[in-house]
Amino acid sequence: MFRHSQLESVKAWLINPAHAAMPLHARIQRAIRQMILDGALGPGKPLPASRPLAKSLGVSRDTIEAAYAQLHAEGFIERRVGNGSFVAEMVGLKPVQRRSKRNSAPANQSPNLSNRGAAISMSGGVRELLLPRPFAQGVPDTRSFPLPLWERLERQVLKETGTHALLHGDPQGAESLRRAIADYVNLERGARASAERVLVLTSSQQALMLCASMLFDPGDRIFIEDPAYYGARKAFEAAGLDCVPVPVDRQGITVEPVLDDPRRAKAVFLTPSHQFPTGAALALDRRLALIDWAARHESWIIEDDYDSEFHYAGRPTACVQGLDLHDRTVYIGTFTKSLFPGLRIAYAVLPPQLVKPMTVGRTLLDGHTAFIAQLTLARFMEGGHFGAHVRTMRGLYADRLDTLANLVRRHLRDFVEPHVPVGGLQMPCMLTCDMSERAAIEAARRVGVELLGLSSLHAAGNGEAGFLMGFAAYSPLELESAVKRLGQSLKADHGT
């Protein structure tokens, strides 16, 4: 029979809320197994008979038998007919030396990570709100998405492909989707793409991490817009790159620091359609100058075209990749902003010489993107539904941007000045009062409003104070309510 302390250990496993999802026999089996591993039950020690143990624990005898059967199957105990059950002799098993709480390592102690692992951990990652609150940036309106149409197309895909759709997909992406993406970016973005040059991925962040891993070595220099998209800077810094900030003005990244730099940089990162976070469009002469620089130095241009579909004043300028006849540009696009975040499909249009190595590299990350979703999206695009949806949302978002700008001018005029962009899903606002950016963000959170501070997007963290206000996912009434709450909270904090 177990000693009193051993019996209490088993009972503790039974009543522990952390084990509530386990069936009773599994809890008992785990408790006895742990006592064997700890050395509390040594080799050859007899275990209680199932009937008295069941009575002591208040469970059925079948429960005990099930626990013993599992222990026997795993090799922890021996069952001898007529003699009972005994702890097995296990060669090489040493009792686990448990540290006292006083000597145990604290939960927040730094783990033994690699240099790159430590850099990734310190970056904090790229977090997205599961249930976004106004004014979370970069979030599209999913309530207007034609879900019945998507469901019908998905059923068609499953009916036609059968169980083939359940298998592993091509690491480069389904050919039908790659062809649809190439046709789209050629027509709408002036790209130079073909199905053979498209690599389907799960997110633009994955594309950035792939570029950082495959194209650069630790210590390599890369020019990056300042301010810049935080996910890009974190990806490059985590890879050990030397990120050189380059100022941005109303015409996008300033090219003189790039062209005049005597040290050779391996790449420049751009968001040329709508610079993140300022919303500026990169001027044509600067695009051509950077293309020439990349060709002369055999460097790369990484072009993140994250929300180019949503341009509200005329047609957007053609993408840099379409102007680059030297094939030095990696073009990154995503359907997260144009359709819905849960789709988890993005893509890169690659120079021909990068297609094979980048495809091999992505197999080490996650193998392939969900095949059924790819085929459904391909059909959605081939049928003209993607273009129709984007046109609908472009008009909707333009109205919401106008609504937000008017609300900010009316209710927040004592605190901020809106800088209305020509496109995108968020509007930058600059603080015009003596309130700090941090105080404004905290005041917003207290009333259920989410703002992204602008100063933190600068390399030195000391840019002009302000914040981004996402508007695409929220109706005019939701925008009005949130702006009024924000205004009241700012007034309360500012004492006005």
Side-chain angles (χ1 to χ4, degrees), residues 36 42-45 75-78 80 86-91 93:
I36 294 172
K45 292 289 184 179
F76 284 96
I77 68 172
E78 297 175 353
R80 304 170 189 169
F86 300 82
V87 178
E89 296 279 353
M90 287 173 281
V91 177
L93 177 66

Side-chain angles (χ1 to χ4, degrees), residues 127-129 131-137 230 234 412 435-457 466-469 481-493:
R127 296 185 178 90
E128 304 289 352
L129 294 172
L131 294 173
R133 301 184 295 268
F135 299 95
Q137 56 84 29
Y230 48 87
K234 289 180 177 183
L412 304 180
M435 176 178 283
S436 71
E437 182 179 287
R438 180 183 294 274
I441 291 172
E442 288 302 318
R445 284 178 179 163
R446 285 197 294 273
V447 291
V449 171
E450 193 72 25
L451 301 174
L452 176 64
L454 290 176
S455 65
S456 63
L457 300 178
F467 46 76
L468 280 180
M469 302 181 76
S481 174
V483 169
K484 287 181 176 178
R485 294 200 311 272
L486 176 59
Q488 292 167 356
S489 186
L490 293 176
K491 288 177 181 178
D493 271 31

Side-chain angles (χ1 to χ4, degrees), residues 13-27 30:
W13 268 81
L14 286 175
I15 64 174
N16 190 331
H19 307 147
M22 293 184 192
L24 288 176
H25 77 272
R27 299 185 219 177
R30 297 285 183 89

Side-chain angles (χ1 to χ4, degrees), residues 238-306:
L241 305 188
D242 178 13
C243 295
V244 181
V246 180
V248 169
D249 62 22
R250 293 185 178 182
Q251 297 186 70
I253 191 172
T254 54
V255 297
E256 289 77 11
V258 177
L259 304 181
D260 298 340
D261 189 88
R263 298 172 59 189
R264 178 180 173 183
K266 288 291 187 72
V268 60
F269 170 76
L270 307 172
T271 52
S273 292
H274 306 131
Q275 199 279 330
F276 187 94
T278 66
L282 184 60
L284 178 60
D285 60 336
R286 298 186 182 187
R287 295 173 185 237
L288 296 175
L290 291 173
I291 290 170
D292 179 67
W293 167 83
R296 284 188 292 107
H297 294 281
E298 295 187 339
S299 298
W300 300 107
I301 297 173
I302 300 176
E303 179 180 12
D304 185 357
D305 212 26
Y306 63 101

Side-chain angles (χ1 to χ4, degrees), residues 188-205:
E188 297 293 335
R189 302 295 301 116
R192 297 169 53 250
S194 64
E196 292 72 29
R197 296 177 62 170
V198 174
L199 174 61
V200 178
L201 300 163
T202 56
S203 67
S204 57
Q205 191 65 33

Side-chain angles (χ1 to χ4, degrees), residues 35-53:
M35 286 192 286
I36 294 172
L37 291 171
D38 290 345
L41 290 174
K45 292 289 184 179
L47 298 180
S50 57
R51 194 183 303 277
L53 182 57

Side-chain angles (χ1 to χ4, degrees), residues 339-407:
L339 294 179
F340 54 94
L343 183 58
R344 308 307 297 151
I345 294 181
Y347 58 92
V349 180
L350 302 170
Q353 68 271 31
L354 291 184
V355 173
K356 184 175 180 179
M358 294 285 265
T359 301
V360 171
R362 82 77 45 97
T363 65
L364 298 178
L365 298 177
D366 63 355
H368 65 98
T369 304
F371 195 43
I372 296 173
Q374 287 189 67
L375 297 178
T376 305
L377 175 57
R379 190 155 298 195
F380 190 75
M381 297 180 76
E382 291 164 352
H385 308 300
F386 177 70
H389 179 68
V390 166
R391 288 190 293 273
T392 298
M393 303 314 291
R394 188 183 294 136
L396 184 69
Y397 294 165
D399 290 342
R400 291 180 178 181
L401 172 59
D402 186 57
T403 297
L404 177 61
N406 290 331
L407 287 168

